[in-house]
Structure formats: structure tokens, C-alpha cells
Amino acid sequence: MAASDLARTFLSEARGIVDAALDAWLPADDPRAPRLAEAMRYSVEAGGKRLRPALALAACRAVGGRDTDVLPFAGALELIHTYSLIHDDLPAMDDDDLRRGRPTSHKVYGEAQAILAGDAMHTLAFELLLTQTPDASTACQLGALLAQASGHDGMVGGQVDDLAAEGAGADGVDVERLESIHRRKTGALLTASVRGGALAAGAGPAAVDALTRYGTALGLAFQIADDVLDATSTADVLGKTPGKDAADAKLTYVALEGVDAARARCARETERALEALAGLPGLDGEGAALLTSIAHFVAQRDR
Ligand code: GRG
């Protein structure tokens, strides 16, 4: 059995749980806003690994929480993530034609509708989190966490820095800047997924802290693996256009150090994630096996 098999089975279970909830929460067609609901559903239903909601569910379960405690947060994570992909694919940013194996939102619905579908998913995420989370004070905590991870000091700030660094390639190299971009652009939302899962379950500070360290290392490993896949995989496998980083002279670990060194760095971050789990108080065998397998999956995934 491969180290990531358990994670793959769990991702499929989590997908069933989260997709059913999202289907109920996403809006129905409204003639006053033609094709808005359709555009929102188009990008969510295109697929994707559902890694962020799966991490939230796994972290919540690992510290004794119930799925119902964390499900609105898990759905909100996927909505924020999907909106970021729609906006990232726009001509003003990455200008991509393919995402999750389908033509990108702006290719199907036009730029204005793609921007607005992303905007509506962004606000729906916070509406769900605040109205559907069982406990009001937890909802408030999770709302602040999600806003911080996805805003100016997290995903959006990282994206802005990434765009500013475009063209740098391996010139004027600065590993610290690269790591800072990775940590904010993609790492922050992944870290928040795990931390939020623990908070939703009402975990104590030591458990929240250990899981946050796990999520931080896993988030960096995820982005390094993404850089490697962009350089080594195909559109058929990835469901998006590979080779974009090199074409846009992006600052990545592959540009900086080459594929082998990037893989080694990814493995080191995975080890860090596993070390953090060792410090998680009260973690049972089942929880440890699942979180370990997810860390391996993130590093070894093929898309
Ligand atoms: C536009 C505000 C704004 C932010 C964009 C996340 C992001 C910031 C851009 C995405 C660009 C990109 C492809 C980054 C690489 C890492 C990444 C987020 C990959 C896609 O995430 P997966 O692999 O995708 O979890 P699926 O489709 O499986 O959900």
C-alpha cells in the first residue's frame, strides 16, 4: 500500500460530503442575474481535489470534532479557493484557457461574468461560514481566520507579490522572497484549513499550535510540488496548462535550484509536517495515519 493511498480514499469521502453541502448552498438560477449561478457552479463542479476542505475535516476529526462542526468552514474554503482560481486565470493575471480539465470561466462566460462569479463566491463563503456554523463564537473566529488567510496578508498579498516578481526567473534570486510568496499565495489558505479544522472542533491551544505547524509545512510542500508538476507534467494529467512558470519567467524553486533540489526541499517540508504531528497531544492512531498519509499525498501527487 502506497503512503498516500489512505489520503486518496479520504479525499474521495471528503469530496462526497463537501460537494453535497456546496450543492445545497450554491444559488439556483435567478433571471435577475442571468447565468451567474451557472458560472459559479461551472467552476466548483468542474472538480478539483477538494484538498482544503479535506484538510479541515481531517484536522477536526483528529482532535475529536464532528463533521457538522466544520462543514460550513470546509465549504467556505473551497469557494474561496475556486474564486481565486477563476480570477488567477483571467487575462489580467495568468491568462489561462484550461482549469480543472475545462475551459476557464472567462473563456465560457466572458471576463465580466467570470470576475463577478468569483466575487459572488467570495462573499458566499463568508455568508455560509457566519450563518451555518453551529456555534456563533466559533463562526466569528473562523471568519477572522479565513479573512486573514485569503486577504492582503495572505493569498491576495502573495498573488500581488508573485505578479510583481514575474519576469525575475532565476535572476536577482531571493529564496526568502520566494518562500514568502509561496507561504502567502497558497500556504496561508492550506494552513488555515488545518488550523480552522482544529478550532471548529474546540481543540486546546497545544493541539491548535501543533496542527498549525503541520499545515504550514504542508502548505509549503504543496506549492513546491506544484512548481515541480508545472515543470514536469502534461495538460492531460494536470487539467491545466503546464510550463506556464517557465514561460512567464516566474520565480519558483525549480527556476532557482532545478527539479531535483526542489523535490528534496518538498521532502524536507513533508518531514517537518510529520514532526509537528508528533507534538499533537492525544492524537490517536487513526488520526495520525490519516494526517501522515495526506502529507505524503501532497508531496507525491501527480496533479
Ligand atoms: C486571484 C486573489 C487571487 C489569488 C490567486 C491561489 C492563487 C492565488 C492562484 C492560483 C495559481 C496557482 C495555479 C497556484 C499554484 C498552486 C495552486 C493554488 C494550485 C491549485 O490548487 P489545487 O491543486 O487545485 O488544490 P484543485 O483544482 O485540485 O482544487
Side-chain angles (χ1 to χ4, degrees):
M1 190 168 163
S4 57
D5 283 355
L6 188 56
R8 286 173 204 278
T9 306
F10 179 71
L11 281 167
S12 157
E13 183 197 340
R15 157 185 299 287
I17 296 170
V18 172
D19 285 7
L22 284 174
D23 185 44
W25 286 330
L26 279 161
D29 283 343
D30 178 347
R32 296 169 308 161
R35 302 191 81 194
L36 177 59
E38 182 188 316
M40 294 165 79
R41 286 178 178 271
Y42 174 82
S43 293
V44 172
E45 290 167 6
K49 294 178 286 297
R50 302 297 191 251
L51 177 61
R52 294 149 192 83
L55 280 168
L57 284 164
C60 180
R61 285 186 190 180
V63 290
R66 295 163 303 182
D67 289 357
T68 46
D69 296 328
V70 77
L71 198 49
F73 178 67
L77 286 165
E78 190 59 28
L79 289 173
I80 295 277
H81 169 58
T82 307
Y83 116 71
S84 83
L85 298 179
I86 295 175
H87 283 192
D88 182 67
D89 289 333
L90 288 166
M93 292 195 229
D94 231 20
D95 193 11
D96 224 320
D97 297 350
L98 188 67
R99 172 68 66 182
R100 291 179 163 172
R102 287 185 174 185
T104 43
S105 180
H106 66 274
K107 286 280 159 193
V108 178
Y109 295 99
E111 276 183 56
Q113 188 81 322
I115 292 168
L116 292 165
D119 290 342
M121 289 160 80
H122 190 179
T123 49
L124 178 62
F126 286 97
E127 180 188 337
L128 287 178
L129 188 53
L130 295 172
T131 60
Q132 306 293 320
T133 301
D135 174 68
S137 119
T138 309
C140 210
Q141 240 185 334
L142 294 174
L145 175 72
L146 190 59
Q148 281 154 5
S150 55
H152 66 91
D153 200 29
M155 184 178 76
V156 171
Q159 175 80 346
V160 168
D161 200 2
D162 192 39
L163 290 171
E166 211 166 278
D171 300 330
V173 161
D174 181 343
V175 182
E176 270 176 34
R177 181 167 180 201
L178 172 60
E179 196 170 306
S180 160
I181 291 172
H182 280 6
R183 285 196 187 285
R184 287 172 293 149
K185 188 181 85 166
T186 33
L189 199 59
L190 289 159
T191 305
S193 305
V194 180
R195 183 176 174 85
L199 291 171
V208 172
D209 184 55
L211 279 167
T212 303
R213 280 187 282 111
Y214 165 84
T216 303
L218 178 141
L220 191 52
F222 174 91
Q223 182 60 60
I224 301 171
D226 207 78
D227 290 353
V228 171
L229 286 173
D230 185 78
T232 58
S233 190
T234 63
D236 274 353
V237 177
L238 283 182
K240 62 180 180 180
T241 317
K244 294 273 294 177
D245 293 342
D248 296 338
K250 286 228 169 176
L251 186 57
T252 68
Y253 281 110
V254 173
L256 221 62
E257 305 177 322
V259 167
D260 290 345
R263 283 200 173 113
R265 210 178 254 277
C266 181
R268 282 201 298 280
E269 290 303 326
T270 306
E271 277 312 307
R272 267 195 199 124
L274 301 184
E275 278 161 28
L277 284 186
L280 178 54
L283 182 64
D284 65 17
E286 203 181 329
L290 178 58
L291 292 169
T292 300
S293 182
I294 294 176
H296 287 302
F297 168 81
V298 161
Q300 294 166 6
R301 70 202 163 92
D302 59 5
R303 68 183 178 91

